[in-house]
Amino acid sequence: MANFNEHDLTDEVISSFANTPNARLKFLIEETVKSLHDLVRRTELTFEEWNQAIEFLTRTGQTCTPLRQEFILLSDVLGVSMLVDAVNHREREREGATETTVLGPFYVGEHRVTPHGANISEGIDGEVMFVQSRVTDLAGKPLAGAEIDVWHADDDGFYDSQKADYATHGPSLRARFVTDVDGRFSFRTILPCSYPIPTDGPVGDLITATKRHPMRPAHVHFLVKAEGYEPLITHVFLDGDEYLRSDVVFGVKDELIARVEPKSEPALPNGERVSGPWHLMSYDFQMRPGAGLVPQPMMSAAE
């Protein structure tokens, strides 16, 4: 007859998964049960607190839509996304490869290849910024034909996929480039700004209740792929942003901070004439040999 107490219940639950055919799944379930049961015992969780947790997770799921993934946002603000990234990329810093960071919820998949120097911010207000970059191996050899997806928020802190007209107007402030024989690519855009994660859902309630700010420092996303090399998922952050040391999703690494130089020349590096000041971001990416999964587009949330 079953009569489990708080100490032997955990073992009984774990044993119920003993016939799980997938060894990795069995291990993950067992470790999850151990951690959850230990949390309940250590905190002496009350029924009220347990119900509040269930209600919070229920609301988190209900907030998800095809254009918003609140669970990604929850993972981000709890530092889980960056912890998974760190565990899976322990060797990169030692080898000299460019550091990784979170993919974020606004990657929507591949776009058509865009010419070097193209303006990906057509019709978007903001200060002009020109990005020039190079992709190499760990020894500095240029990688021709590497594919780079880029995306970032607008001057108001919104990504194109957050806007109601995204389906009809298509992408903006995002594009795909292919490196030339010297491993180079470049594009014109606008200067990104720091912005808040969405706070109108349960994750926002959590941030408010815990007196945390919801801000992310200004950055541009890059997803770099080259044959024979691990895909690189990263951001390049703008030096001087006030939130570099308090990113709400813990995504900043010192090596990913780039100085953006103010410029006053009448022409951009691609020869395009401009009136007034503009900004130049230069950053090179070092790829690590190997293979890896290319991320699949996920439902957008807000990062």
Side-chain angles (χ1 to χ4, degrees), residues 21 27 35 41 65 74 116 135 153 175 195 197 199 218 231 236 278 285 293 300:
F27 171 74
S35 296
R41 281 189 291 265
T65 72
L74 179 60
H116 294 179
V135 180
Y195 62 86
I197 62 169
T199 56
V236 175
W278 52 280
F285 301 94
L293 295 175
S300 295

Side-chain angles (χ1 to χ4, degrees), residues 175-191:
R176 163 167 285 209
F177 299 93
V178 176
T179 56
D180 63 17
V181 293
D182 294 318
R184 301 185 185 279
F185 69 97
S186 63
F187 59 94
R188 173 180 171 171
T189 186
I190 60 170
L191 191 71

